[in-house]
Amino acid sequence: MELARISSEQSSERSQALPFQGDAWQSWGPYLSERAWGTVREDYSADGCAWDYFPHDAARSRAYRWNEDGLAGISDDKGRVCFALALWNGRDPILKERLFGLTGPQGNHGEDVKEVYFYLDSTPTHSYMRMLYKYPQEAFPYRQLVEENARRSRQDPEFELLDTGVFAGNRYFDVFVEYAKAAPEDILIRIRAVNRGSEAAVLHLLPTLWFRNTWSWNKDGDRPFLWRGDWDVQGEGDKSSPGCAAAFPPLLIEAQHPSLGKYNLYCEATAPSDTLLFTNNDTNLQRLYNVPNATPYVKDAFDEYLVHGNHTAVNPLCTGTRSAVLYTRTIAAGATASIRLRLTKAMHAPTGPVISPFAGFDALFELRRQEAGEYYTSLQPAHLDEDVKRVQRQALAGMLWSKQSYHYIVDLWLKGDPAQPPPPTQRKHGRNAEWRHLYNERVMSMPDKWEYPWYATWDLAFHCIPFALIDSRFAKSQLDLLLREWYMHPNGQLPAYEWAFGDVNPPVIAWAAWRVYKIDQQQTGCADRAFLERLFHKLLINFTWWVNRKDSEGNNVFQGGFLGLDNIGVFDRSAPLPTGGYIEQCDGTSWMGMFCLNMMTIALELALTNPVYEDIALKFFEHFLAIAAAMNNIADEGIKLWNEEDEFFYDVLRLPDDTHLPLKIRSLVGLIPLCAVETIEPHVLDALPRFKYHLTWFLTHRPDLTRLVSHWQLPDASQRRLLALVRGHHMKQLLKRMLDPAEFLSDYGIRSLSKYHADHPYVLNVDGTAHAVCYEPAESRTELFGGNSNWRGPIWFPINYLLIESLQKFYFYYGDDFKVECPTGSRQYLNLKEVAEDLSCRLIRLFLRDEAGHRPCYGDNETLQRDPHWRDNLLFHEFFHGDTGKGLGASHQTGWTGLIASLIQQQGVYSMEDRAAISKTGHLQTAPLSYDLPERR
């Protein structure tokens, strides 16, 4: 059925011939954020210090302006009606309504969530979802986490919740939250709390339904409302009817929203103490600002009622805009307490005097769970080891759970709201002031819904690759959205992320568009050229922006600032340099070479049905050659990004006196030129005679350019042509370093900085100050970009993924005869397809158990490695230790680390005669990566 629902969505989209219309089955989903406090969009301060303006301590009392947050929650696709779970163990100082973590200034490596939770399952349509939250029975150690991390330096590891000892003796609850849809707006909810401790323990559970506050900002805003509904006592009286095993009638919350209509939340009652609570989602002005409240019933009423015993805090009339049902359960050791609820559009409400809203509840849950299993069975290659399947399924679950309704209208945010005091005047010229056109109000894929609860453009490009595997419609819609006129700047720039929309990310949207197009074509058998053409026209504008804004001297060598690689350079590349001048960036230039090839490839595809695009393809071919020439001779001054002595690519520092200095740091910056590679099939050239004719002319009359590019004039045996920034010799030299365990090659992928710099730091002295780059395989030791990410040694999935794909493209041209030593010094020679497979296996190995039963990503944490209630629940970290593979950074960045699902799928689809072991344990059989070009003939 899940496959049928997805097929129906895709067919509807194609039949309407309109871009990405809404899908009813995805009108509700896990779109509730896990953190709205401490975000830029909630910051109305003069100094732009978002963490201080809206801290965690204010979140329970203060109404949010733009988004809501909650624990294991869902919402409609605009975040107007929200549902989530709140918990209290009887010991915490506050009600657990949202995840806790440290702010950027508090953490010794920047912001970091200090909770334990796992996304376990989800279907693409969210017809079934499941997650796990581990809730301690002792008081949550808020103060200890803050104080201990404050004591630690950047050289120390982070202090995590598991380190506090609060889970000792298994004194915690495993709280499983599941959702199953009977219909698009008929959602069954099951909450099961398991006492893992050795003694009985009390747990208070508060499933909460509320409206996002949309009425406090405009003087004439319509106000939705909730009230306690009346249940049909006659109907409830027949306990023999299916689903009516409860001893008490269900509790009913009715909800009326001006634009969404009416919903009912049915809450199963099994104890006389089960009760409904009501208040308003309005700020507690008295607590926060010592100003009298307009209403006695405010946002933090449930905390006041339960934790502090103030029963006057809730509305006795049982109306408001925020409601909860309070369940208090004493759970025996090893026992489970279960709660059932049903949230449904009123027109779907069960009718008749006898039928219970919980009739058939468990059977439908089982059906949706089985459908989820059948869906993943159809997706995953059958021969995969169960542990590998688990990794892939949980990675995809993390991708799906990380969707969020993202609302942020920049112009209104800058001006302030009519019903609120005007914001400080400094904001008019401060953060994001030049992005007034930006109107965000869509479900988007987040890098991490706690640590990064905002989209980042280049992250999102990588998200779309695994999304295309399971929901190509959503993947296409995300790329389309970034290029729409209310996102893309009028000048053609794409928004980076909310902390600084004007920052520059690598131009990878064209690459993602082409990959999603090909994956979608493989899955559906249809080429969605309308999607590709629509994006291509917008990408032309973005390409022009790059050329006009980031090639300062017009010499085809590009800048761009940090370009997503944060602290990889000796300076903050987004700030004015202490030396003056500017950096001729190898990675920026290489990204643009890759952008050219992506655009050329798309233009050639479109030209197969519309010859107008042939000339555009030729234009991008010429521009690519100009970039290749510039990398070897900047502005005809003999300056090269390729260093002949080291046989590696470096950035070049251009000083104010016009002298230049290569910044000899062996980092991913010097490997990214490998990513600018493309092959053209002979049937494409034969089908485009105009393009072929002009290419022949260009190749004849400009040999000075064409000889820079790998063997364009020399087709392989099958007449396939190759375009790349690096030729055979340069490529072999780069690969020699990349595949050297003493430099880039880790047991778990390619490091972001060569290990050479562990003993040979790069140091540049400027006016008596030493600026240094040293190999740091774990967390960052610098404050650049907040210090919460590190590109000076750890392994990052996005660049590894691109390198793997590039090696495969090179293999399509060079074939089996072109071999390199892998690893360097091993005397083992592999063709480039085999090298790509080897790198894929190393990355996949991060998450699989080794001979000792340990997963490298969990490091030396014995609880995560051994405990049966922990070890099969996966976290997908932001980056990984360059030597040990331990997961680091954001703990739920399934975003681009979700690429692991695509690698597993690629490695799992194979021919029987092409098997090879992934690791010493033989977990997975490997195969050629499923790149879209035809096999070599």
Side-chain angles (χ1 to χ4, degrees):
M1 280 298 294
E2 181 66 14
L3 285 170
R5 283 188 284 269
I6 295 170
S7 177
S8 175
E9 296 166 20
Q10 294 171 339
S11 298
S12 174
E13 175 194 318
R14 288 193 294 271
S15 65
Q16 293 175 20
L18 293 171
F20 318 116
Q21 299 302 298
D23 163 47
W25 275 92
Q26 296 193 46
S27 59
W28 279 76
Y31 309 142
L32 186 66
S33 181
E34 284 160 358
R35 177 172 63 85
W37 60 273
T39 58
V40 166
R41 54 195 180 278
E42 296 293 340
D43 175 23
Y44 284 79
S45 68
D47 60 4
C49 188
W51 292 113
D52 293 340
Y53 183 78
F54 203 137
H56 175 267
D57 184 60
R60 68 180 181 275
S61 303
R62 182 172 173 178
Y64 293 121
R65 170 62 180 90
W66 296 102
N67 290 92
E68 292 287 337
D69 59 17
L71 181 63
I74 60 173
S75 76
D76 70 281
D77 58 4
K78 296 295 179 66
R80 294 161 292 190
V81 182
C82 307
F83 174 90
L85 177 64
L87 301 165
W88 190 52
N89 56 18
R91 293 181 171 88
D92 282 355
I94 59 174
L95 190 63
K96 176 65 70 174
E97 296 177 283
R98 57 188 52 81
L99 299 173
F100 173 73
L102 303 184
T103 68
Q106 286 176 329
N108 61 328
H109 298 114
E111 63 265 39
D112 188 40
V113 68
K114 300 299 181 184
E115 303 270 11
V116 180
Y117 56 105
F118 304 92
Y119 305 122
L120 299 180
D121 210 357
S122 180
T123 60
T125 63
H126 309 300
S127 60
Y128 177 75
M129 300 189 296
R130 182 170 179 255
M131 77 164 287
L132 166 63
Y133 174 71
K134 290 184 177 285
Y135 185 42
Q137 294 172 5
E138 297 298 321
F140 195 89
Y142 293 102
R143 177 173 292 182
Q144 183 185 7
L145 287 165
V146 173
E147 293 178 351
E148 178 59 29
N149 277 283
R151 279 194 289 269
R152 298 194 177 196
S153 71
R154 294 193 181 276
Q155 283 66 45
D156 297 318
E158 297 171 4
F159 185 67
E160 305 293 358
L161 184 60
L162 270 166
D163 299 326
T164 66
V166 75
F167 292 106
N170 291 330
R171 295 190 299 273
Y172 68 91
F173 299 103
D174 267 343
V175 183
F176 295 93
V177 181
E178 294 176 280
Y179 298 92
K181 293 182 182 178
E185 293 186 283
D186 186 6
I187 305 167
L188 281 60
I189 306 163
R190 183 165 63 191
I191 301 166
R192 294 183 299 119
V194 184
N195 181 358
R196 298 297 185 194
S198 58
E199 299 178 358
V202 175
L203 178 63
H204 306 270
L205 303 98
L206 292 88
T208 306
L209 181 71
W210 75 99
F211 295 113
R212 175 164 58 88
N213 187 323
T214 57
W215 53 87
S216 294
W217 327 113
N218 298 302
K219 295 178 181 178
D220 56 351
D222 292 331
R223 192 180 184 101
F225 57 99
L226 302 157
W227 69 97
R228 177 172 184 149
D230 293 323
W231 181 246
D232 186 341
V233 178
Q234 287 182 335
E236 184 276 328
D238 183 6
K239 300 298 188 296
S240 64
S241 64
C244 276
F248 304 92
L251 302 170
L252 173 61
I253 299 170
E254 299 188 65
Q256 183 70 45
H257 191 275
S259 58
L260 292 176
K262 188 170 182 293
Y263 288 85
N264 292 334
L265 178 64
Y266 298 92
C267 314
E268 187 177 48
T270 58
S273 61
D274 298 345
T275 187
L276 296 179
L277 305 176
F278 288 83
T279 187
N280 289 312
N281 190 17
D282 289 307
T283 299
N284 186 343
L285 300 172
Q286 184 69 50
R287 175 180 178 258
L288 295 176
Y289 311 113
N290 200 29
V291 173
N293 290 318
T295 170
Y297 312 117
V298 288
K299 183 178 177 180
D300 54 13
F302 304 153
D303 178 82
E304 279 290 315
Y305 176 92
L306 185 60
V307 178
H308 303 287
N310 179 10
H311 288 194
T312 65
V314 299
N315 189 346
L317 299 179
C318 293
T319 63
T321 52
R322 188 176 180 90
S323 62
V325 54
L326 171 61
Y327 298 98
T328 299
R329 299 289 184 267
T330 299
I331 308 174
T336 300
S338 295
I339 294 170
R340 304 192 302 178
L341 307 99
R342 185 168 188 166
L343 176 63
T344 180
K345 194 75 179 282
M347 63 181 182
H348 295 302
T351 59
V354 178
I355 299 175
S356 164
F358 300 101
F361 185 99
D362 293 334
L364 190 135
F365 246 105
E366 180 61 20
L367 175 63
R368 292 293 182 256
R369 190 190 66 79
Q370 288 180 2
E371 289 176 353
E374 291 167 0
Y375 171 76
Y376 282 105
T377 296
S378 70
L379 175 73
Q380 296 178 312
H383 65 273
L384 293 183
D385 178 272
E386 288 304 312
D387 197 35
V388 179
K389 290 182 179 179
R390 180 183 298 111
V391 171
Q392 186 186 41
R393 186 163 174 173
Q394 290 190 31
L396 293 172
M399 298 291 304
L400 291 160
W401 271 93
S402 295
K403 292 181 181 179
Q404 178 184 309
S405 175
Y406 184 82
H407 189 208
Y408 180 23
I409 303 170
V410 175
D411 186 56
L412 185 55
W413 176 75
L414 290 168
K415 292 177 179 177
D417 295 299
Q420 297 293 316
T425 58
Q426 298 96 312
R427 290 162 45 83
K428 294 181 180 179
H429 305 286
R431 175 178 286 138
N432 297 332
E434 69 279 14
W435 288 82
R436 292 177 181 271
H437 74 286
L438 190 54
Y439 195 106
N440 302 275
E441 195 183 19
R442 291 290 189 276
V443 171
M444 302 193 74
S445 175
M446 300 292 113
D448 179 314
K449 284 207 299 186
W450 192 94
E451 190 144 341
Y452 305 117
W454 29 260
Y455 66 88
T457 296
W458 90 298
D459 296 57
L460 189 54
F462 291 100
H463 298 186
C464 289
I465 306 307
F467 264 122
L469 186 65
I470 53 175
D471 189 353
S472 59
R473 186 201 65 86
F474 180 75
K476 290 188 288 184
S477 73
Q478 294 288 280
L479 296 172
D480 177 75
L481 193 59
L482 288 173
L483 296 168
R484 299 303 291 265
E485 58 274 18
W486 56 87
Y487 278 72
M488 177 189 280
H489 197 281
N491 65 19
Q493 185 179 6
L494 297 181
Y497 48 88
E498 71 172 29
W499 285 91
F501 284 124
D503 269 357
V504 183
N505 283 171
V508 291
I509 299 299
W511 166 79
W514 174 249
R515 297 299 294 125
V516 168
Y517 168 79
K518 296 300 291 183
I519 295 169
D520 181 56
Q521 184 181 29
Q522 284 183 330
Q523 292 184 332
T524 66
C526 299
D528 191 354
R529 282 190 166 83
F531 156 75
L532 195 63
E533 189 169 16
R534 182 166 52 249
L535 265 63
F536 182 75
H537 285 276
K538 297 295 184 66
L539 286 165
L540 287 171
I541 302 171
N542 180 239
F543 186 90
T544 303
W545 176 84
W546 269 92
V547 171
N548 290 339
R549 297 296 184 96
K550 296 303 171 183
D551 179 9
S552 61
E553 301 298 318
N555 57 19
N556 293 304
V557 175
F558 292 82
Q559 293 82 53
F562 86 115
L563 286 176
L565 303 185
D566 293 16
N567 65 341
I568 203 165
V570 69
F571 305 125
D572 178 350
R573 299 192 299 173
S574 289
L577 303 180
T579 60
Y582 57 90
I583 296 175
E584 305 278 20
Q585 291 184 221
C586 177
D587 55 338
T589 306
S590 302
W591 288 125
M592 284 302 290
M594 177 178 161
F595 196 177
C596 285
L597 292 181
N598 298 149
M599 294 295 280
M600 182 196 73
T601 301
I602 295 172
L604 289 174
E605 177 76 3
L606 296 174
L608 293 174
T609 56
N610 186 347
V612 167
Y613 289 98
E614 289 187 65
D615 288 346
I616 301 177
L618 184 63
K619 183 268 177 202
F620 283 108
F621 170 77
E622 294 178 359
H623 206 135
F624 172 75
L625 292 182
I627 289 173
M631 290 186 74
N632 288 276
N633 186 7
I634 299 175
D636 293 325
E637 297 177 4
I639 304 170
K640 295 182 178 182
L641 298 180
W642 175 261
N643 186 275
E644 295 290 353
E645 179 184 1
D646 292 352
E647 296 189 308
F648 200 76
F649 284 104
Y650 296 126
D651 284 345
V652 172
L653 174 62
R654 178 83 70 139
L655 296 167
D657 62 2
D658 216 29
T659 59
H660 60 275
L661 174 69
L663 300 175
K664 293 190 172 185
I665 303 169
R666 297 179 195 166
S667 72
L668 287 179
V669 166
L671 297 180
I672 289 175
L674 288 167
C675 299
V677 55
E678 198 57 74
T679 56
I680 301 180
E681 298 301 303
H683 74 271
V684 174
L685 289 177
D686 292 341
L688 303 173
R690 177 178 172 82
F691 177 75
K692 187 175 183 179
Y693 170 81
H694 284 286
L695 275 183
T696 302
W697 181 94
F698 195 88
L699 293 168
T700 303
H701 292 84
R702 293 300 307 273
D704 56 316
L705 293 180
T706 57
R707 67 169 173 260
L708 297 169
V709 182
S710 300
H711 299 300
W712 171 259
Q713 297 124 312
L714 180 63
D716 69 355
S718 64
Q719 300 298 305
R720 183 176 288 121
R721 307 281 182 154
L722 176 71
L723 280 173
L725 280 180
V726 291
R727 292 178 287 180
H729 173 71
H730 284 180
M731 180 175 63
K732 281 194 171 185
Q733 295 308 308
L734 284 178
L735 293 180
K736 182 178 180 180
R737 290 199 187 280
M738 188 179 90
L739 301 176
D740 188 345
E743 294 221 32
F744 287 97
L745 185 64
S746 163
D747 288 343
Y748 308 104
I750 300 300
R751 303 178 178 106
S752 50
L753 188 79
S754 171
K755 199 170 182 177
Y756 166 84
H757 291 298
D759 297 325
H760 306 87
Y762 177 81
V763 181
L764 181 63
N765 289 291
V766 179
D767 296 331
T769 300
H771 299 264
V773 173
C774 184
Y775 177 68
E776 301 169 7
E779 288 96 346
S780 173
R781 298 182 179 183
T782 73
E783 296 182 3
L784 289 180
F785 291 87
N788 63 339
S789 66
N790 183 23
W791 290 81
R792 295 185 176 182
I795 298 153
W796 291 78
F797 260 77
I799 306 301
N800 271 264
Y801 188 86
L802 288 176
L803 289 170
I804 289 168
E805 184 178 278
S806 298
L807 289 170
Q808 186 187 13
K809 291 179 183 181
F810 279 117
Y811 170 77
F812 274 116
Y813 178 78
Y814 286 111
D816 293 328
D817 295 336
F818 188 101
K819 295 186 176 184
V820 296
E821 193 178 22
C822 180
T824 301
S826 67
R827 298 185 180 180
Q828 173 180 265
Y829 288 84
L830 305 178
N831 64 43
L832 298 182
K833 180 193 73 173
E834 293 168 333
V835 175
E837 291 174 3
D838 180 79
L839 294 181
S840 294
C841 293
R842 290 170 187 263
L843 291 166
I844 295 169
R845 195 183 300 149
L846 280 164
F847 302 98
L848 301 181
R849 294 200 190 106
D850 60 18
E851 303 97 320
H854 282 65
R855 303 182 193 275
C857 62
Y858 280 156
D860 57 0
N861 190 301
E862 285 301 305
T863 299
L864 292 168
Q865 296 286 14
R866 299 290 188 187
D867 192 302
H869 301 304
W870 296 71
R871 66 187 182 192
D872 287 337
N873 303 317
L874 279 300
L875 294 175
F876 298 87
H877 286 81
E878 184 180 5
F879 53 94
F880 300 85
H881 194 288
D883 297 331
T884 68
K886 180 183 177 181
L888 302 166
S891 57
H892 290 74
Q893 190 153 348
T894 320
W896 58 26
T897 303
L899 289 164
I900 188 65
S902 296
L903 289 176
I904 289 173
Q905 192 73 6
Q906 290 170 351
Q907 292 291 83
V909 179
Y910 74 108
S911 59
M912 294 297 292
E913 63 272 13
D914 197 25
R915 297 185 178 188
I918 184 173
S919 69
K920 297 177 183 178
T921 58
H923 275 292
L924 177 65
Q925 304 299 320
T926 68
L929 296 178
S930 55
Y931 188 67
D932 303 297
L933 297 176
E935 288 298 321
R936 289 184 55 82
R937 293 182 292 274

